[in-house]
Amino acid sequence: MSTLRSTIDFLLNDWLDATSLNQRERFADHSRETFDAVLDTCERIAREKFAPFNRTVDAQEPHFDGEKVILPQCTYDARLAYAESGMLCAAQDYELGGMQLPYVVEAAANGFFACASVSINTSMLTSANANAILVAGSPLQRLVFAVNEFNGRWAGTMALSEPQAGSSLSDISTRAEADGEGFESDPLGPRYRLRGNKMWISAGEHELTENIAHLVLAKIPDEHGKLVPGVKSISLFIVPKKLVNEEGELTGERNDVALAGLNHKLGWRGTTNTLLNFGEGKYPVRGKAGAIGYLVGQPGEGLKNMFHMMNEARIAIGMAATMLGLAGYYASLEYAKTRTQGRPVGQGGKDASQAPVAIIEHADVKRMLLAQKAYGEGALALNLYCAKLVDEGRTASAEQADRAKLLLEVLTPIAKSWPSEWCLEANSLAIQVHGGYGYTRDFPVEQYWRDNRLNMIHEGTHGIQAADLLGRKVRMLGGAGLKLLAETVNATIQKAMAQESLSAYANQLARALAEVGATTKAAWANENPEEALANAVPYMQAFGHMVLAWMWLDVACGVLEKDTALSDLQNAGRMNATRYFFHYELPKIGAWLRVVKERDLTCAQMPLDAF
C-alpha cells in the first residue's frame, strides 16, 4: 500500500468516519468495500495512465498547427481511462449515470490523479461546469449539456476572465444580444449572440472530446444598447464549440468561437490554456458573426450561478495544491533515505573516517521533511473535512445541513488558499532537500514547484480569497460563521484537554483562536474597509494556521483514540507532525495578526512614486 493510500484510508475511515454517511438514504447502497473499490480503481489508473507521463506532458506542451491543438497521445489515453472509470459523475444521481458516491470519497479518489500528474487531466472543470448547469440550468440544458459532460462525450470550461479585466469581473465587456425574433423560445434556452474575448481559459480548445461546452459570463446591454457597470448585469451562457440540437446531437455547424492563441505557462503545461475570441466572425453561424449562447438561469444572475462551480473548483484547487505538495514530499523523502552525504556531529566534531550517512539522518533535513509532512497531510485533512461538509450540507437534517453549509462558507477561502501557499513552500523544501540536483530536470521536484505555483493565482488569487475571508465570510450573518467555527474548534479543544499529551496544545490553540477573534474585531473597530482590509493576506495566513492547528489537534485526538501506544509508526509520524506544527508553525501567527489588529497602513500608504 502506498503512503498516500494509507494516509487517505486513515483520514477517511479512522478520522472522518466516512462510512457513517452510508446511514443516509442517498448513500445506503455503499459500504467500506465499495469505497475501497473506488479508491483501488483510481489509484491503479493514476499509477498506469497518469504518473508515467507527467514529464511527457510537461515537455511536450500543447501547440497549434494552424487547424487544431496538438496534444501527446498519453493525454487522450488518460482522459479516456478517467471518463470510463465513471469518476466524472461519481457523486451524481444514478439517473445521471452516477454512483451517488459521497463527495468526500470522490475528492479523496481524485487525489490520486492530481498526485500522479496534475495537468494531464482537466476533468475537474468538466464536472464543475456540469454541476453548475444541474443547479441553474433548464431541464433540457441538463439533459443535453450536463449529461453529455458527465458521460465523457463532451468537455466543459469556465470562461470568466478577459484580457483587460483580469479578476475584476465587474469590468468584463463581452456582450450578449438577443438572437433575432423568437430568441426566447429556443428549446435549449433563450438564444443570444456573444461577442468578446476571454483569457486564461483552461482546456478552451482541444480535440480530446466530441464537443466543448463553454460556460461564459457576459453582459446583456440595456435598452440603450450600453453595458451596465458592475456585476449585477452579468449573465451566464452555455456556448458550445459545435452547435447541437435538442437531442444532444451535433448539427454539423461550428459555432463562432475561435482560438486566438495558446498561453505558454511556467507549469501545468499538459493543459491547454487559451485566449478565445467569441463572435469575431471567423466561423459565421447562419450567415453572420456572433457566437450562439443559451442563457442559464435568469438574466443578471450569472455570478450567482457560476459560483455554484467556483466554490467546488476552489476546493478542488486546494486538493491539487495539496497533492503536488505531497508528491514533492514523497520524492524528497525517498531521495533523503538513499542519498549519502556528510557525517553526524559528535562531541568531538565529525569523524572523517566514518562512512557518509543518508542525509535523512541530519537534523535540518528532518526539519524540512517534517515541515512538508505537516503542510501536506494537514492540508489533505482540511480538504477532506471540507468535502465531508459538502456531503453534510446535502444530506444531513435541515439544521445540521445549514450548520455545515455555514461552516463551509467560512472555511472555503482557507481550503483553497492555505494549501496553495504552504504546499508550494513544501515543494520548495523538496527542492532544497535534493540540493543542486533538485534544481535540475533530472528529478521531478522542480516540476512540482512549477505546477503548484499556479494555485495561488487561479480560481481567485490569494488577495481575493483574503478579502473575501476578512471582508465577508467572518462578518456575514452578524459573525455567525466565525462563531460556529469557534464552537467547532472549541469542541476539539475540550476533547484534547482530556489527553495529557495534548493538553498543552489544546491551550495553545485556545489562545490562538481567541487572538484571531479579537483581531477580527479590532480590524473592523472603525468600520473602515480600507483600513480593515489593508492586511487581509496576513490575516488569512494567521487564520489558516489556526485552522490547520485545529486540524492537526483533531487528527491527533483521532490517533490516540485508536492507537494510544502509537504502535503504528504512521501514527507516530502523525503525532510528530502535530508536535511540529504547534512548536514551529502556530507561533508565527502573532506577527501576522499584529499588523491587522493595529490596522497598520505601511503598505497601503506607500506613495506610488516612492517604489
Side-chain angles (χ1 to χ4, degrees), residues 28-226:
D29 291 340
H30 287 292
S31 63
R32 171 70 185 269
E33 287 71 29
T34 62
F35 292 170
D36 284 347
V38 169
L39 296 175
D40 289 343
T41 297
C42 291
E43 187 175 21
R44 176 184 56 78
I45 295 172
R47 183 175 62 249
E48 295 175 358
K49 299 292 186 180
F50 283 64
F53 306 105
N54 191 43
R55 181 62 83 183
T56 301
V57 297
D58 183 65
Q60 299 177 27
E61 61 180 306
H63 66 277
F64 184 57
D65 71 355
E67 294 184 4
K68 58 183 181 295
V69 172
I70 306 300
L71 294 165
Q73 182 60 42
C74 60
T75 303
Y76 289 79
D77 297 339
R79 193 212 70 84
L80 181 61
Y82 185 87
E84 290 180 343
S85 75
M87 286 303 294
L88 277 166
C89 58
Q92 301 304 325
D93 296 347
Y94 293 136
E95 292 76 14
L96 292 171
M99 306 179 202
Q100 292 189 189
L101 200 67
Y103 179 63
V104 65
V105 180
E106 179 190 36
N110 277 325
F112 292 113
F113 301 106
C115 191
S117 181
V118 74
S119 74
I120 200 172
N121 186 23
T122 58
S123 296
M124 176 272 288
L125 289 169
T126 297
S127 295
N129 174 306
N131 281 331
I133 295 172
L134 281 185
V135 172
S138 69
L140 190 58
Q141 286 174 342
R142 295 171 196 153
L143 184 63
V144 170
F145 295 103
V147 168
N148 280 311
E149 292 179 53
F150 283 136
N151 67 26
R153 278 183 65 201
W154 301 348
T157 73
M158 50 204 303
L160 293 79
S161 298
E162 298 180 2
Q164 82 291 346
S167 298
S168 182
L169 296 179
S170 62
D171 296 320
I172 66 171
S173 60
T174 298
R175 303 170 66 90
E177 298 175 306
D179 185 30
E181 188 175 346
F183 78 97
E184 71 282 356
S185 59
D186 193 299
L188 291 175
R191 190 181 64 252
Y192 287 76
R193 292 275 183 160
L194 277 70
R195 294 172 175 84
N197 315 105
K198 292 294 180 177
M199 186 62 159
W200 313 119
I201 311 306
S202 294
E205 178 59 31
H206 55 73
E207 304 295 324
L208 293 168
T209 53
E210 178 184 273
N211 204 0
I212 303 173
H214 304 287
L215 275 181
V216 183
L217 290 181
K219 293 183 177 181
I220 300 173
D222 63 14
E223 64 272 19
H224 304 294
K226 295 183 178 180

Side-chain angles (χ1 to χ4, degrees), residues 281-570:
K282 182 172 182 178
Y283 302 105
V285 181
R286 296 159 197 172
K288 61 180 180 179
I292 288 181
Y294 305 100
L295 180 67
V296 179
Q298 296 299 312
E301 295 186 354
L303 275 188
K304 183 186 79 170
N305 293 333
M306 179 67 94
F307 270 83
H308 286 297
M309 68 185 289
M310 285 296 291
N311 286 334
E312 180 182 331
R314 285 172 175 170
I315 294 174
I317 292 305
M319 277 293 286
T322 296
M323 289 302 161
L324 284 164
L326 286 172
Y329 167 56
Y330 299 144
S332 61
L333 177 61
E334 178 67 21
Y335 182 83
K337 288 178 176 179
T338 57
R339 168 67 171 173
T340 58
Q341 183 176 309
R343 295 159 181 82
V345 179
Q347 290 287 359
K350 296 182 181 180
D351 183 354
S353 66
Q354 289 185 353
V357 298
I359 63 173
I360 196 171
E361 295 191 32
H362 300 306
D364 193 55
V365 173
K366 288 183 177 181
R367 175 190 64 82
M368 292 187 284
L369 292 170
L370 195 48
Q372 292 178 67
K373 182 180 180 68
Y375 297 154
E377 292 183 11
L380 180 56
L382 170 63
N383 277 281
L384 292 180
Y385 183 90
C386 288
K388 192 181 181 191
L389 288 178
V390 173
D391 290 316
E392 296 290 346
R394 291 172 178 169
T395 64
S397 64
E399 181 181 353
Q400 289 301 112
D402 287 343
R403 287 173 62 87
K405 291 174 184 176
L406 182 59
L407 187 56
L408 183 61
E409 280 289 312
V410 177
L411 289 176
T412 294
I414 303 302
K416 190 273 178 183
S417 64
W418 197 92
S420 298
E421 179 173 2
W422 295 98
C423 289
L424 179 69
E425 174 61 18
N427 290 142
S428 181
L429 290 171
I431 293 172
Q432 192 70 23
V433 169
H434 281 75
Y437 291 107
Y439 198 64
T440 71
R441 294 196 178 189
D442 296 325
F443 290 82
V445 287
E446 59 85 26
Q447 183 185 341
Y448 296 142
W449 187 94
R450 285 188 290 106
D451 286 344
N452 216 351
R453 187 59 188 85
L454 176 62
N455 290 316
M456 286 177 67
I457 300 172
H458 69 163
E459 311 307 341
T461 65
H462 230 46
I464 289 173
Q465 299 296 331
D468 182 45
L469 177 67
L470 180 55
R472 191 169 73 89
K473 295 297 178 64
V474 298
R475 305 188 80 210
M476 65 184 186
L477 303 176
L482 185 59
K483 180 181 178 182
L484 176 58
L485 175 63
E487 291 174 1
T488 311
V489 174
N490 274 319
T492 296
I493 290 171
Q494 293 306 311
K495 184 167 55 174
M497 288 295 291
Q499 297 283 354
E500 183 179 356
S501 61
L502 299 178
S503 60
Y505 299 150
N507 285 317
Q508 188 181 352
L509 179 56
R511 292 192 296 271
L513 176 63
E515 192 173 357
V516 167
T519 300
T520 306
K521 292 179 181 178
W524 289 102
N526 61 1
E527 290 295 322
N528 183 335
E530 184 178 3
E531 292 185 2
L533 299 178
N535 294 293
V537 167
Y539 175 85
M540 183 173 69
Q541 289 171 314
F543 196 105
H545 262 52
M546 182 272 292
V547 167
L548 264 292
W550 164 44
M551 289 290 107
W552 272 117
L553 188 62
D554 207 74
V555 165
C557 288
V559 166
L560 294 180
E561 287 172 8
K562 304 284 184 180
D563 186 11
T564 306
L566 300 182
S567 56
D568 184 336
L569 281 176
Q570 293 212 16

